[in-house]
Amino acid sequence: MSDFILFHKKLISKSEKKKLLRLTSNWYLSFTSTSFFEYNIGKFKVIVVGDYIGSIEEVFSVNDYEIAKLKGHFYAIVAKENSIKIYNSFFSMLPIYYTENDCLISSSLQLIKEHLTTKPEIDKKFILENLLFNYGFFNRTLYKNINLLPCHSFITLKNDKITVTKHFDISSLFVPYPKGGKKTVDQLSNLFIETAKQYFPKEEFDIAFTSGFDGRTLVSCATYHHQKFRTFSFGKLGNDDVSIPLANAKTLKIPYQYFDLGATEYIALEYYQNALEYTTSGYLGNGFLYPHFLYSTKKVSENSKYLLSGAGGSELFRALHSAGAVTSETLTNIFRIQNEEELADIIKNAEPLRVLNSSAFTVALDELIEEIIEYKKSLPQDITRNQQFYIFVFEEIFRKFFGQWITLQQKYVSVRTPFLDYNFVKTLLTTKYGGANNDFFTDNPIKRMKGQYLYTDIIKKTNQQIYTQITGKGYRPIDVRDPKYIHNIILPFLKKKLLKKVTKTNLDNLGIISGVKANEKELRLIINSDQSLFDNTQLNTMFTDLSPYTPEKYRDTLLMSLSILHNMSNHSISPKIHTYEVYNSINGL
């Protein structure tokens, strides 16, 4: 997928204008490659970047508030007379960045940075947010004068003015009395089976097939619709996300490959380079924690143009119930604690902040806490606490967590996520089977089973073999539906609880610790770089102590710090890159 950048005419010379695509008298557009399409009808121009699934007639026929509800992960740039509008698709998974003063709009933060005329200032609040939540809480970026477009919003450019408009409020999909019962499940599962079909491309594709329910539900639907596809997963051999789909695929007689993240070649050659690419691209995420997503995508792209992902499925169906990478301890506290003073005190003393030189963040932290409290007050008060929490899940976590993966993966393949279809999500949220309509952070396995019941109904209708295969949960889809197998659910749940108390989890199943240790020389240089915001001594100690049994939250804090420090070390204004001058044009339809 190509990146794009829009310039105001005041930023470019006459000679440069000749190389760019003129959209209006004031705005010019450029791309980093030719992987986009332009459609023209009279004075109406639509440029689509990414994987739009549907007819171009539909883009021309819908209004401003409907474009983002179309299928696929894409950008739409619509020019009509002297006005331009820039959209991203549902859940705003692909980022749009903009600067009001410099009049730049782009899909790439780095592209904007490379075209700034002055050195951007580091935003300390962005650093705080990433340490506290594992991604940005608000719409700021690492640089103070570059903004991230809010979720479900579009930008309008008219003359010299940049206007941001919110086109959709996710809370409008919540209902006071969600429906339940077998008939509702039957309708939902039928809807998803037909929805998934629309996301399957005509040519052979790959499905991310792990030990959980998301991937196997897509595999089940693909077999039902007689699709030609391959499957894959990644990890070390023996990891559930490798051993279980490997055994399942063998029984199903479907193609499967795994990418060995314990291999010497991956640890020595691939881990670090993919980590740096991840860290410096897209949302500037925690690249040292997630390089395997890029690595596996590149391997898949060698034989496929499409990757089907179950991203977001679990979060849609099952109530979130534990702190971790998706929902940090600080985030759960924000929605759990009602007393403002208590909340402020807990945030100020949050464990991840110990890696900072606290005196440099005093003012920024106080201001951030005030903003967070105001955010809580701004949430609708006529919905449940869990639904309030799910507004954040839908508007921030989906794009800033899963969107990190999809944005980077889409540079190499078209990523399709059937669970994140607007019409399916809209219908799901009218029922008891949406995670948003469950209890807040419930740990009750029976209550959480409501979401899994929907998975199993889909699988039962589409593939009887998968319906009786073991999952990484320790039970089979059939066990969720048939009361006589309830012990198969309760026993693994109790066993997992017990094991957490008596054993330590080996966190090197994805080769992360091995990759970090293998690149110690380069990473120590990042830690000891010339800067005043992070506590080098603390980070060096954490690095020395890092092992496969280091608690997950400590490991993630160290790796997030490394990612931020790397981007800070590349903080200078880079030479402007040469964007692509040729574009595809389809006049008429």
Side-chain angles (χ1 to χ4, degrees):
M1 183 182 74
S2 175
D3 276 312
F4 68 86
I5 183 166
L6 284 117
F7 305 88
H8 190 273
K9 66 179 182 182
K10 68 181 181 182
L11 300 176
I12 46 182
S13 65
K14 287 185 178 180
S15 60
E16 287 176 314
K17 288 178 183 177
K18 295 177 181 178
K19 302 175 184 179
L20 305 176
L21 174 59
R22 181 176 179 269
L23 294 183
T24 69
S25 58
N26 289 315
W27 293 94
Y28 290 77
L29 178 64
S30 186
F31 298 90
T32 56
S33 77
T34 55
S35 55
F36 64 93
F37 290 96
E38 177 193 342
Y39 305 90
N40 295 282
I41 295 182
K43 295 182 179 180
F44 199 175
K45 184 193 303 288
V46 177
I47 296 169
V48 176
V49 184
D51 183 39
Y52 166 61
I53 306 169
S55 68
I56 200 61
E57 290 93 343
E58 196 170 7
V59 175
F60 279 99
S61 64
V62 299
N63 62 39
D64 291 339
Y65 295 82
E66 300 295 324
I67 285 183
K69 299 174 185 177
L70 302 177
K71 293 179 179 5
H73 296 299
F74 63 91
Y75 298 103
I77 302 169
V78 181
K80 190 175 182 182
E81 297 176 343
N82 206 35
S83 174
I84 303 168
K85 293 178 180 178
I86 305 107
Y87 308 84
N88 46 15
S89 44
F90 190 44
F91 286 125
S92 303
M93 302 298 273
L94 305 179
I96 296 176
Y97 298 100
Y98 66 100
T99 64
E100 293 189 44
N101 294 337
D102 290 281
C103 292
L104 293 164
I105 300 94
S106 180
S107 57
S108 165
L109 184 65
Q110 293 295 351
L111 266 183
I112 287 187
K113 182 187 166 193
E114 288 165 2
H115 286 83
L116 293 176
T117 54
T118 57
K119 185 175 180 178
E121 183 183 350
I122 293 291
D123 193 326
K124 294 179 182 178
K125 292 180 190 175
F126 181 79
I127 295 174
L128 290 168
E129 289 174 8
N130 276 266
L131 288 171
L132 289 168
F133 309 110
N134 303 318
Y135 38 75
F137 192 95
F138 293 106
N139 295 304
R140 51 178 57 94
T141 69
L142 183 60
Y143 310 110
K144 277 192 173 180
N145 54 333
I146 305 177
N147 304 307
L148 173 66
L149 183 68
C151 187
H152 296 138
S153 301
F154 64 87
I155 288 177
T156 301
L157 307 176
K158 195 163 187 179
N159 300 322
D160 299 336
K161 190 176 180 181
I162 298 176
T163 305
V164 173
T165 305
K166 189 172 180 67
H167 61 75
F168 179 65
D169 183 355
I170 194 71
S171 66
S172 66
L173 300 185
F174 296 148
V175 297
Y177 305 107
K179 298 178 294 185
K182 290 184 179 180
K183 184 178 179 181
T184 299
V185 174
D186 182 58
Q187 292 171 342
L188 270 177
S189 58
N190 287 340
L191 174 61
F192 183 78
I193 292 166
E194 289 308 307
T195 296
K197 183 179 181 180
Q198 298 173 57
Y199 283 81
F200 295 142
K202 293 180 180 179
E203 61 189 84
E204 190 172 14
F205 56 91
D206 276 73
I207 299 177
F209 185 20
T210 62
S211 63
F213 277 88
D214 299 323
R216 73 185 51 245
T217 301
L218 296 182
V219 169
S220 190
C221 289
T223 61
Y224 178 79
H225 289 300
H226 308 291
Q227 298 295 306
K228 188 177 182 182
F229 66 96
R230 297 175 292 263
T231 63
F232 76 95
S233 67
F234 47 71
K236 289 185 175 181
L237 195 61
N239 180 353
D240 280 355
D241 280 339
V242 172
S243 59
I244 291 176
L246 175 62
N248 291 166
K250 186 176 181 180
T251 302
L252 294 166
K253 297 180 180 179
I254 58 175
Y256 168 82
Q257 63 176 329
Y258 80 93
F259 304 115
D260 186 0
L261 302 183
T264 302
E265 181 181 358
Y266 173 76
I267 298 298
L269 302 177
E270 299 288 352
Y271 171 85
Y272 189 69
Q273 290 306 315
N274 283 285
L276 293 187
E277 183 179 346
Y278 190 110
T279 293
T280 56
S281 306
Y283 286 89
L284 305 190
N286 192 346
F288 295 104
L289 187 60
Y290 299 116
H292 43 278
F293 280 99
L294 259 183
Y295 170 70
S296 60
T297 301
K298 291 175 183 177
K299 300 295 284 185
V300 166
S301 72
E302 293 173 3
N303 298 299
S304 180
K305 294 180 182 178
Y306 296 93
L307 191 163
L308 271 287
S309 166
S314 295
E315 289 67 29
L316 276 173
F317 291 178
R318 297 185 292 116
L320 297 173
H321 71 115
S322 61
V326 180
T327 51
S328 71
E329 188 175 336
T330 303
L331 181 64
T332 63
N333 283 331
I334 287 173
F335 288 89
R336 181 177 62 83
I337 297 171
Q338 301 305 311
N339 183 280
E340 292 179 9
E341 291 183 4
E342 181 185 356
L343 177 59
D345 187 60
I346 285 178
I347 294 175
K348 286 181 179 180
N349 292 287
E351 189 73 27
L353 300 186
R354 68 192 176 112
V355 300
L356 299 175
N357 289 321
S358 57
S359 60
F361 288 86
T362 304
V363 174
L365 182 56
D366 285 341
E367 291 177 353
L368 178 61
I369 290 171
E370 287 181 17
E371 291 175 15
I372 289 170
I373 290 172
E374 286 305 310
Y375 170 82
K376 279 189 68 175
K377 292 177 179 178
S378 73
L379 294 170
Q381 299 302 305
D382 58 344
I383 59 178
T384 68
R385 179 165 53 156
N386 195 49
Q387 288 173 334
Q388 289 179 333
F389 172 59
Y390 260 81
I391 291 177
F392 186 85
V393 171
F394 290 143
E395 293 193 341
E396 309 303 338
I397 293 179
F398 270 27
R399 63 189 178 125
K400 294 171 184 173
F401 187 83
F402 300 115
Q404 280 186 27
W405 305 344
I406 292 167
T407 299
L408 292 170
Q409 290 175 314
Q410 199 129 310
K411 303 293 182 187
Y412 300 93
V413 295
S414 292
V415 181
R416 296 189 171 182
T417 53
F419 289 111
L420 304 184
D421 177 84
Y422 170 75
N423 288 321
F424 176 71
V425 172
K426 179 182 179 181
T427 305
L428 176 69
L429 291 180
T430 65
T431 76
K432 294 180 179 179
Y433 305 99
N437 295 327
N438 212 323
D439 293 342
F440 178 70
F441 259 68
T442 180
D443 200 33
N444 184 323
I446 305 302
K447 286 189 175 183
R448 287 173 49 76
M449 209 55 61
K450 283 191 296 186
Q452 291 191 342
Y453 192 86
L454 179 54
Y455 281 126
T456 61
D457 202 62
I458 296 168
I459 293 171
K460 182 183 180 183
K461 291 177 178 178
T462 51
N463 192 304
Q464 283 293 314
Q465 275 188 297
I466 296 177
Y467 189 54
T468 57
Q469 287 183 329
I470 197 73
T471 71
K473 300 291 183 182
Y475 50 81
R476 308 162 301 170
I478 191 175
D479 298 330
V480 177
R481 289 183 55 88
D482 195 329
K484 70 183 179 185
Y485 296 123
I486 190 66
H487 61 280
N488 289 339
I489 296 171
I490 300 298
L491 291 178
F493 174 77
L494 295 175
K495 182 180 178 181
K496 186 177 179 181
K497 283 276 195 181
L498 179 62
L499 286 175
K500 275 188 175 181
K501 294 180 179 180
V502 299
T503 62
K504 289 185 177 181
T505 303
N506 186 319
L507 293 179
D508 202 28
N509 59 325
L510 295 173
I512 295 168
I513 307 300
S514 298
V516 170
K517 290 294 187 178
N519 293 278
E520 180 171 0
K521 182 179 178 181
E522 292 84 355
L523 294 174
R524 292 280 190 183
L525 288 173
I526 293 175
I527 290 174
N528 296 313
S529 60
D530 183 19
Q531 52 80 37
S532 60
L533 298 181
F534 283 80
D535 184 338
N536 297 23
T537 302
Q538 178 68 40
L539 290 175
N540 274 306
T541 300
M542 292 173 71
F543 194 103
T544 300
D545 294 342
L546 184 66
S547 81
Y549 301 100
T550 298
E552 186 176 5
K553 61 182 179 180
Y554 297 147
R555 177 202 67 181
D556 293 359
T557 296
L558 171 63
L559 300 186
M560 178 62 80
S561 301
L562 289 170
S563 296
I564 296 169
L565 280 169
H566 176 74
N567 282 323
M568 287 173 56
S569 68
N570 290 307
H571 184 43
S572 59
I573 297 294
S574 307
K576 293 181 181 179
I577 67 168
H578 296 291
T579 47
Y580 210 90
E581 298 173 11
V582 181
Y583 61 93
N584 299 324
S585 181
I586 300 178
N587 296 300
L589 297 171

